[in-house]
């Protein structure tokens, strides 16, 4: 707000340096922030414990709001990318699928005892979630000059007035975030631009207008400027392969482990789906080996399933001399659920960071 009033570039530089420190050294893979319960605070650089993560739902909401303001100031897609990632993976976990219970903290590893509550003595998170969800339509679009910007994707419609007074109507048809195809139908005639956000994970994205290739779509915003006719269609194709994410080596708790992601969603493993301790699960050698499967009990969420192995720790020891012998393993079936949907079934352990296959790594 101060920057908007003053236009002080030095203030913007400070904001960007703070953002970069947060995202490069102090943010969880979920987009959650705040590693210390004491003082509800950031920790030191790379201090990111998983089971004791504070990652308050309200802090994630604050991040969404901050990124939205930085996006409006700069037009830089990196803020929209993090805004979306945080919405799905750090805000939504704070609300149960039935909308009746809440998380105050959102750890990335749990022994099965952390469960959502219907209310809290210090109840900042429940009304904050309600406020954000009620205001969410305002985060999807923005107008600048003769351009309508599309920041987020979901089924729905918008009617916007551009700065020149031109009224634009646009309808979105999509199954996003489960499918990367977004179809836009223009509902008004006129000359204006559409600026479509292409997430950084969507390598090979495509844009078509009336079924004809229209523009290359590198990450950022793809601009379509033309004289539109009511009924014109734009089809945005965002590839969604399963991805393995790794942490910086200084985030030592995640050494030798990877996290699963697809599109804008982070995934995790819950104990009730497995015949092994989730801490011992190993991801498949190739991400392509994981298949997509709709869930029956998680609101139709797309799950990731595949055959892999789990480590079998030997003997009763806390420390021992390194033997050089290979770790014993057993075959298991892996099921990964969207992180936002964990703890909606019976209580069981949960793990975001899973073991890498043997003989792999940096």
């Amino acid at each position: 707000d101060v920057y908007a009033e003053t236009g002080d570039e030095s203030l913007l530089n400070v904001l960007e340096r703070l953002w970069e420190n947060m995202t490069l050294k102090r943010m969880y893979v979920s987009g959650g922030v705040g590693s210390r319960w004491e003082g509800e605070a950031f920790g030191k650089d790379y201090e990111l414990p998983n089971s004791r993560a504070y990652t308050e739902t309200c802090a994630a909401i604050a991040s969404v709001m901050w990124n939205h303001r930085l996006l409006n100031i700069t037009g830089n897609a990196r803020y929209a990318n993090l805004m979306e990632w945080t919405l799905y993976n750090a805000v939504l976990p704070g609300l149960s699928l039935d909308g009746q219970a809440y998380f105050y903290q959102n750890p990335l590893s749990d022994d099965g005892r952390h469960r959502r509550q219907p209310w809290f003595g210090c109840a900042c998170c429940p009304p904050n979630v309600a406020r954000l969800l009620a205001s969410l339509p305002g985060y999807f679009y923005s107008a600048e000059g003769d351009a309508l910007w599309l920041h987020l994707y979901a089924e729905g419609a918008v009617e916007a007035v551009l700065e020149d007074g031109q009224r634009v109507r646009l309808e979105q048809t999509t199954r996003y975030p489960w499918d990367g195809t977004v179809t836009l139908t223009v509902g008004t005639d006129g000359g204006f631009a559409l600026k479509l956000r292409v997430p950084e994970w969507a390598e090979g994205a495509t844009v078509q207008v009336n079924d004809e290739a229209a523009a290359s779509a590198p990450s950022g915003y793809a601009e379509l400027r033309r004289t539109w006719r009511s009924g014109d269609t734009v089809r945005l194709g965002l590839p969604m392969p399963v991805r393995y994410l790794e942490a910086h080596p200084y985030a030592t708790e995640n050494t030798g482990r990877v996290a699963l992601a697809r599109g804008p969603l982070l995934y995790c493993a819950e104990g009730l789906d497995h015949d092994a301790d989730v801490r011992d699960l190993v991801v498949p050698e190739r991400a392509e080996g994981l298949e997509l499967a709709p869930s029956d009990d998680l609101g139709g969420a797309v799950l990731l399933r595949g055959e892999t192995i789990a480590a079998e720790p030997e003997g009763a020891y806390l420390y021992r001399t390194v033997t050089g012998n290979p770790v014993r393993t057993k075959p298991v079936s892996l099921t990964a659920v969207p992180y936002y949907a964990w703890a909606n079934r019976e209580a069981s352990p949960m793990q975001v960071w899973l073991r890498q296959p043997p003989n792999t790594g940096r």
Side-chain angles (χ1 to χ4, degrees):
D1 291 343
V2 174
Y3 173 81
E5 293 175 3
T6 65
D8 186 345
E9 290 296 328
S10 64
L11 177 57
L12 179 57
N13 290 337
V14 170
L15 293 173
E16 290 180 330
R17 290 202 304 273
L18 288 170
W19 187 90
E20 288 171 357
N21 177 261
M22 181 186 81
T23 58
L24 296 177
K25 297 180 179 180
R26 302 189 180 200
M27 185 180 74
Y28 284 88
V29 70
S30 62
V33 290
S35 55
R36 293 186 180 181
W37 289 56
E38 301 80 5
E40 299 183 328
F42 286 107
K44 297 179 181 179
D45 291 350
Y46 306 108
E47 182 188 334
L48 297 165
N50 291 317
S51 61
R52 290 198 73 252
Y54 194 72
T55 48
E56 185 185 8
T57 300
C58 282
I61 293 172
S63 177
V64 168
M65 293 177 172
W66 186 31
N67 278 281
H68 185 239
R69 293 185 181 190
L70 287 171
L71 171 64
N72 287 337
I73 291 170
T74 66
N76 192 323
R78 70 179 185 173
Y79 302 120
N81 289 334
L82 183 55
M83 179 175 72
E84 177 185 64
W85 184 261
T86 304
L87 275 169
Y88 278 115
N89 303 303
V91 174
L92 275 188
L95 180 66
S96 61
L97 294 180
D98 63 7
Q100 300 300 307
Y102 304 86
F103 272 150
Y104 206 104
Q105 300 88 15
N106 296 274
L108 279 75
S109 176
D110 184 62
D111 61 7
R113 289 181 288 181
H114 187 55
R115 307 298 288 176
R116 293 180 183 85
Q117 303 298 319
W119 202 249
F120 303 99
C122 177
C124 56
C125 295
N128 211 359
V129 169
R131 175 180 65 160
L132 179 66
L133 295 182
S135 65
L136 199 56
Y139 291 81
F140 272 70
Y141 304 90
S142 62
E144 181 185 34
D146 65 346
L148 180 65
W149 296 58
L150 282 73
H151 307 304
L152 302 173
Y153 300 110
E155 192 92 5
V158 64
E159 188 168 307
V161 179
L162 304 183
E163 291 182 6
D164 61 2
Q166 185 174 193
R167 190 172 297 276
V168 174
R169 180 172 176 79
L170 196 68
E171 182 177 347
Q172 282 195 49
T173 305
T174 183
R175 291 186 62 251
Y176 194 91
W178 312 120
D179 185 278
T181 300
V182 180
T183 300
L184 309 171
T185 303
V186 179
T188 48
D189 297 340
F192 54 88
L194 295 176
K195 301 191 75 167
L196 315 180
R197 183 179 62 92
V198 178
E200 58 188 353
W201 46 259
E203 295 185 17
T206 59
V207 180
Q208 294 180 323
V209 176
N210 297 329
D211 297 323
E212 295 183 0
S216 60
S219 62
Y221 283 88
E223 181 174 323
L224 302 175
R225 183 177 296 277
R226 57 186 287 146
T227 299
W228 300 92
R229 295 288 178 262
S230 181
D232 283 348
T233 60
V234 177
R235 183 168 290 106
L236 177 64
L238 303 175
M240 286 187 173
V242 178
R243 312 189 306 281
Y244 288 169
L245 309 179
E246 64 177 358
H248 190 282
Y250 293 171
T252 55
E253 191 160 322
N254 303 324
T255 299
R257 293 180 177 270
V258 295
L260 296 169
R262 179 177 180 265
L265 297 178
L266 177 69
Y267 280 74
C268 67
E270 290 191 276
L272 76 167
D273 295 316
H274 300 94
D275 295 326
D277 191 315
V278 290
R279 294 172 296 183
D280 295 329
L281 293 173
V282 178
V283 295
E285 290 278 356
R286 297 169 57 85
E288 296 87 341
L290 289 166
E291 298 179 349
L292 311 182
S295 68
D296 297 325
D297 51 2
L298 291 174
V302 172
L303 312 183
L304 306 179
R305 287 185 172 147
E307 298 304 313
T308 185
I309 57 175
E312 290 189 303
E314 300 177 40
Y317 67 91
L318 183 57
Y319 308 103
R320 69 176 184 181
T321 300
V322 175
T323 65
N325 296 327
V327 175
R328 292 177 54 187
T329 62
K330 65 177 181 180
V332 294
S333 295
L334 173 66
T335 297
V337 306
Y339 174 67
Y340 78 78
W342 82 278
N344 277 278
R345 299 173 292 173
E346 65 181 79
S348 69
M350 180 276 298
Q351 188 79 13
V352 168
W353 291 97
L354 306 179
R355 292 193 183 198
Q356 290 179 313
N359 303 317
T360 63
R362 297 185 68 85

